[in-house]
Amino acid sequence: MDKIENNKAWFLVLPVFVIVAISAIIPLMTVVNYAFQDIFSPQDRYWVGTEWFESVLADDDLHGALIRQFVFSFVILLIEIPLGIALALAMPARGWRASLALVLMALPLLIPWNVVGTIWQVFARADIGLGGWLVNALGIPYNYTSDPVAAWLTIVVMDVWHWTPLVVLLCYAGLRAIPDAYYQAAAIDGATPWKVFRHIELPKMRGVLLIAVLLRFMDSFMIYTEPFVVTGGGPGNATTFLSIHLTKIAIGQMDLGPAAAISIIYFLIILTLSFVFYNVMTRMGTGERA
Amino acid sequence: MSLQLQGIARTVGGSIHLHPVDALLEPGLHVLLGPTGAGKTSLMRLMAGLDAPSAGRILQDGQDVTGVPVRQRSVAFVYQQFINYPSLSVFENIASPLRLKGQERGAIERRVREVASLLHIDHLLDRLPAELSGGQQQRTAIARALAKDARLLLLDEPLVNLDYKLREELRTELRALFERRGAVVIYSTTEPIEALTMGGSVLVMHEGRVLQAGPTAQVYHHPASEAVAEVFSDPPMNLVNVEVTGGTARFPQGLELPLTGHLGMLEDGAYRFGIRALHLALRPKPGLPFLPARVELADISGSETFVHVHAEGLDWVVQEEGVHEHGLGEPVTVYLDPTRLYAFGPDGRVRAAPARGRGG
């Protein structure tokens, strides 16, 4: 059969081109434009090369925000992933208790982020918040508006409360997908609960854990709403994470050039680390496909 | 060792999974044969100690082990799914039950290699289960079970998820492996052919009951009841209602068959006659009685043709050697070999069975 030249085929891929262009490429290129030029108006703009990048990379405020951001994401992963696995293992497998546990677990995920922030902002207050008041009543001085450590603790506990359920739900789904025969085989072998976890449950959960780690890393690395509502980045700069820092530069000071440069650095960090996580975790331990 | 079941039964939430079973299982191969849902897996789980029986006792070598948890028994289990530890290599998988028993390193190494070579997976010891084909995965699972040298080895439809060729190959190998062991080996299957090739003894199960037990060939040739004959024939035994008066059987199609040989001493009354598909023929055989029927379906399987025929009062399957084309609704003549007829009474018990010695 002869090949038929038909330019109409372009119309079939056109929608995808338009959607990708509008949703991803054009906004991204706008940021790139701002990162390499000093733009006052569409007619009035100057090429600055890597000047913005050089200045923001030398900026101590950015270093501080970046370090805080890494520490925060690291702490979040370190707490939420093991805690999520442990809770998923402890959850009932079937019956009404399982349904109840699932509903309770899902609740924090259903609350809008700024509402979560507001809840904790009030709950943790030393003067009128139940949580903050109780801690102080127990004789532990606690005030997140003045003490950096207290502010960090508040944000971390809030994030654990808000997002561990996501890890739990993913792990729970992974656990339920393991055929009962595996557990029987382990029982017949005389395997200890630890061996069952290490050699059956953990490898079988690997696929969902990979998703959980990626999602929690990306989300925690981009955290903005909750600390913005609770501490506004304070006291001082104690809880100024990357996105809060970025917003300050872009909206607070209208330094669009440096803000665009930070955005690109920010984006590249997330992209690189997600890529690394993905590769490490898919190769780790077992040849089983995720 | 021997395994003795004394009236063990299992009821779950009011539904009966297993009616009381009595059996004495000596070392050697025992095939549990029955359709899906017959209670094979329930019975094996009770034997292993994975479930507790609702009633009855299980004795190992005369000792009551009913309440003994599975990890304290000498049991190995192979499942129809390929169950291996996903993150351990084939070597570690086979070694795992030995390690858990705390055996010393050199002994484990030797045992793993020995069992692996029996199952022809000695070149795959470094691989992970996910890197193996289905057949190799199941070989690994079987090797793990064998390595343990348990006194009770249970295999629950181990070959059902493998393709036809592999199944035949493994079946032969397994039979040879089991013959050399002093353990009680329980092997469940839904396929009569598999039961026949494995040999040993058979327990025919149906709807939660053990219908008949005995040496496999004997049960095949002398099914105690219509139900056993149906379960232990593939395709299921063909049945027809007949009326016997004065030494003659009246078939629905007007066929009158004078009864001789093993059928000669049947008393007058209503019977169901049964005959296996392979003792029916569509090509004329001189001297054999015949019935008219119509073709409903012709099913070609390998080098055989299974022709489903219908006539008033009977729906039969005829097994023909070779590949034959048949049109739907085509009128055919079914020849039957009266020396291969079984006669069952109205209660389903066998009244007359063909003498053995002339093939299945």
Side-chain angles (χ1 to χ4, degrees), chain B residues 303-317:
Chain B
S303 59
E304 281 158 357
T305 309
F306 294 95
V307 188
H308 297 243
V309 298
H310 172 79
E312 200 176 327
L314 57 90
D315 281 288
W316 282 3
V317 183

Side-chain angles (χ1 to χ4, degrees), chain A residues 15-38:
Chain A
V16 179
F17 268 120
V18 173
I19 290 169
V20 171
I22 291 177
S23 68
I25 297 173
I26 294 174
L28 197 66
M29 287 317 291
T30 313
V31 177
V32 172
N33 266 335
Y34 273 91
F36 292 98
Q37 302 177 72
D38 198 354

Side-chain angles (χ1 to χ4, degrees), chain B residues 3 27 53 59-60 65 102 117-118 159 163 165 177 246 258 263 287 342:
Chain B
L3 187 73
L59 308 178
Q60 268 186 5
V65 293
S117 77
L118 278 179
L159 306 182
D163 68 61
K165 269 272 173 223
L177 281 178
L263 298 169
Y342 291 84

Side-chain angles (χ1 to χ4, degrees), chain A residues 179-182 184-192 195 198-200 203-204 285-289, chain B residues 45 50 70-71 75-77 79 81-88 96-97 100 128 130-131 144 148:
Chain A
D180 197 40
Y182 279 91
Q184 292 170 26
I188 286 172
D189 280 357
T192 56
K195 294 245 181 219
R198 175 66 192 81
H199 295 305
I200 295 173
K204 284 273 166 195
T286 146
E288 235 195 358
R289 308 288 163 257
Chain B
R45 292 176 57 99
L50 285 165
V70 62
R71 53 184 73 231
V75 178
F77 211 122
Y79 297 85
Q81 307 105 306
F82 315 136
I83 303 294
N84 292 305
Y85 296 105
S87 60
L88 298 180
S96 62
L100 290 163
L128 291 167
E131 297 166 344
R144 213 176 71 235
K148 206 178 166 184

